[in-house]
Amino acid sequence: MNIIPRMIRCGPARPPMVTLGIALSMTAALVTAPVSVAEDLPATPGTTPVPGATIIGEQWLTQRTLELTVATPSFTTPVKVEVMLPNGYAATAEDQDWPVTYYTHGTNGSQALFRTAYRGEELTASYPSIVVSPAGHSGYWSDWNNNGAGGPPMYETFVIEQLIPLIDANFHTKGDRPHRAILGDSMGGYGALMLAARHPDLFVAGTSLSGAVDTNWAPGSVVSSASPAIDLALPDSIYGPRPTNEVIWRGHNPTDLAANLGNLDLQVYTGNGIPGVQELGNPLTPYGCPIESGVIYPETQNLHKTLIGLGVQHKFSAYNWGCHTPEMFQQQIADTLPRFAEVFARNLPAPASFDYSSIEPSFNVFGWSAIADPNRATEFLDLRDVSTAGFTITGSGLTRITTPPIFSGNRPVTVLINGAATTLRADSTGRITIAVDLGRADHDQQFTLDADTSLRTSVVSILRR
């Protein structure tokens, strides 16, 4: 969470999270690596634009780390991104491509935090992956609601739709799910798992480093509501007031989206609020300990228990020490990266079956697409056991599901909807679109007070011919 206010006033003591953020920022500044002289630095790579993102500036910070300045309509001003190249990376080596690891920082951190405060270049000395760290400020890595107006800042849109294609277009990346992972600390732990849960077809692995992974936990919810003030925006600018926008909060909350993480190699870390030996000399420790024990630990436990209940395999590490400090995050990063490297080496295929829930009116995941009833209010649409054999769907209204190109073009396909047969014809690309009637489209937003909602479940079987 690492909150850093823009002004420091005299008066009552600041809340622990605010003081922690100030100290983390100071720590990052103190350990920033010096910039090498120009003649010692590699040539900069190309600046190929992609839709919605253009590199307008490049600066080498070290022999391995390049800072990009990116222009994008997702923000009102250009955004900074650090790209840390692995040892052995060569800009001219056309025959060698690399995995990519995305790092999402905590509240009011910066793109430099991984490299500076957490000694990222040292931790990745033998790590066979590019590491990309965008600036995320205090945005919870989400597209902001802005009192219903939408628009900038749009962190999720930037990372998912613009930054990933931009990195793949300008660096030697493998550019596929089996070789893309994401990790983040504190608010960034929330962001890493939120992005992975909403886009599980883009990431093969994800890690929360003492992340704020359950905004249903009241103390964490309060921090999320207040965070926009750091950027001089109104409270609740991210998802809107919780009483009237509960479903939007839940539609981004990793714990509510836990089933979506079922096909990722998942790691979840937390300390326990008791300082470790390495933290004893850090002035942040007295503030970081209650944050870790009172916010991070219970939120992480909530996610862990939810994952167990769903049968989602994951590595859960609750250290017998640890506060919300750079020393804690460094240890968690050091523990995470070897497992990421192992997952990259396995080149895992896309899952044969998956579960997915979303509040979006339309979405695409693993080649399947869904369009909810246009008259439906915002609510979850749940897909379970999705495979070439069919799926189970829960929602309301007339919902259309389009398969990947798994059939011979223009051939008939028999589909059973709750046992009733219908014949569909695959289009020229080998896809079929199945219209599933889930009853009356709910007109009340899910989870709001006195909402009149009625979700219906249908079982769809696809019979090949």
Side-chain angles (χ1 to χ4, degrees), residues 158-219:
F158 175 65
V159 172
I160 298 300
E161 299 182 17
Q162 297 160 3
L163 182 59
I164 290 176
L166 187 70
I167 295 300
D168 288 341
N170 287 280
F171 297 88
H172 296 306
T173 72
K174 292 186 180 291
D176 56 15
R177 178 181 184 267
H179 301 98
R180 187 182 298 120
I182 188 167
L183 78 162
D185 62 276
S186 196
M187 178 198 79
Y190 169 94
L193 295 196
M194 180 271 291
L195 293 172
R198 286 170 59 86
H199 307 279
D201 52 342
L202 294 183
F203 302 99
V204 72
T207 298
S208 168
L209 313 165
S210 285
V213 290
D214 185 13
T215 52
N216 295 326
W217 181 251

Side-chain angles (χ1 to χ4, degrees), residues 260-271:
N260 295 7
L261 298 168
N263 288 295
L264 273 77
D265 189 276
L266 188 61
Q267 302 178 69
V268 181
Y269 291 88
T270 182

Side-chain angles (χ1 to χ4, degrees), residues 138-139 142-153 224-229 231-242 248-249:
S138 310
S142 298
D143 290 0
W144 283 22
N145 177 271
N146 288 324
N147 197 31
S224 300
S225 293
S227 286
D231 289 326
L232 305 181
L234 294 173
D236 285 325
S237 290
I238 302 175
Y239 301 132
R242 186 142 197 168
I248 300 176
W249 283 75

Side-chain angles (χ1 to χ4, degrees), residues 193 204-207 258-268 303-317 339 343 346 348 355:
L193 295 196
V204 72
T207 298
N260 295 7
L261 298 168
N263 288 295
L264 273 77
D265 189 276
L266 188 61
Q267 302 178 69
V268 181
L303 174 61
H304 172 53
K305 292 173 183 177
T306 301
L307 292 168
I308 290 175
L310 293 169
V312 173
Q313 294 186 354
H314 61 289
K315 175 186 176 182
F316 174 67
S317 293
R339 181 154 173 167
V343 174
R346 291 163 62 188
L348 294 171
D355 296 339

Side-chain angles (χ1 to χ4, degrees), residues 124-447:
T124 60
S126 60
Y127 182 53
S129 172
I130 298 168
V131 178
V132 178
S133 175
H137 303 289
S138 310
Y140 274 73
W141 298 98
S142 298
D143 290 0
W144 283 22
N145 177 271
N146 288 324
N147 197 31
M154 301 166 66
Y155 296 99
E156 181 177 5
T157 293
F158 175 65
V159 172
I160 298 300
E161 299 182 17
Q162 297 160 3
L163 182 59
I164 290 176
L166 187 70
I167 295 300
D168 288 341
N170 287 280
F171 297 88
H172 296 306
T173 72
K174 292 186 180 291
D176 56 15
R177 178 181 184 267
H179 301 98
R180 187 182 298 120
I182 188 167
L183 78 162
D185 62 276
S186 196
M187 178 198 79
Y190 169 94
L193 295 196
M194 180 271 291
L195 293 172
R198 286 170 59 86
H199 307 279
D201 52 342
L202 294 183
F203 302 99
V204 72
T207 298
S208 168
L209 313 165
S210 285
V213 290
D214 185 13
T215 52
N216 295 326
W217 181 251
S221 179
V222 170
V223 174
S224 300
S225 293
S227 286
I230 299 169
D231 289 326
L232 305 181
L234 294 173
D236 285 325
S237 290
I238 302 175
Y239 301 132
R242 186 142 197 168
T244 57
N245 289 277
E246 176 83 11
V247 68
I248 300 176
W249 283 75
R250 290 180 178 269
H252 293 81
N253 184 29
T255 299
D256 283 291
L257 299 175
N260 295 7
L261 298 168
N263 288 295
L264 273 77
D265 189 276
L266 188 61
Q267 302 178 69
V268 181
Y269 291 88
T270 182
N272 64 358
I274 300 173
V277 173
Q278 58 268 59
E279 296 176 303
L280 292 179
N282 190 331
L284 303 177
T285 300
Y287 307 106
C289 291
I291 293 171
E292 195 75 17
S293 62
V295 179
I296 300 303
Y297 181 82
E299 290 194 18
T300 303
Q301 286 283 354
N302 289 348
L303 174 61
H304 172 53
K305 292 173 183 177
T306 301
L307 292 168
I308 290 175
L310 293 169
V312 173
Q313 294 186 354
H314 61 289
K315 175 186 176 182
F316 174 67
S317 293
Y319 295 168
N320 62 1
W321 64 280
C323 300
H324 221 58
T325 66
E327 290 80 9
M328 175 90 275
F329 297 135
Q330 288 168 11
Q331 182 63 59
Q332 293 172 346
I333 293 168
D335 291 344
T336 292
L337 298 185
R339 181 154 173 167
F340 277 3
E342 291 175 5
V343 174
F344 293 149
R346 291 163 62 188
N347 195 25
L348 294 171
S353 175
F354 66 91
D355 296 339
Y356 186 74
S357 296
S358 177
I359 63 168
E360 301 304 322
S362 64
F363 58 81
N364 296 276
V365 59
F366 291 114
W368 295 73
S369 64
I371 300 177
D373 193 310
N375 297 313
R376 186 203 73 168
T378 304
E379 67 181 11
F380 275 98
L381 180 68
D382 294 320
L383 296 174
R384 293 290 179 263
D385 301 318
V386 182
S387 73
T388 57
F391 52 89
T392 299
I393 181 171
T394 300
S396 74
L398 184 63
T399 304
R400 289 177 169 83
I401 305 295
T402 300
T403 71
I406 55 179
F407 306 101
S408 298
N410 299 311
R411 296 292 299 275
V413 179
T414 299
V415 175
L416 303 180
I417 303 177
N418 296 324
T422 185
T423 299
L424 303 174
R425 188 169 294 275
D427 65 17
S428 60
T429 68
R431 296 173 170 86
I432 62 171
T433 296
I434 306 166
V436 184
D437 186 355
L438 297 172
R440 175 184 65 87
D442 289 331
H443 294 159
D444 294 334
Q445 187 169 275
Q446 192 176 15
F447 303 118

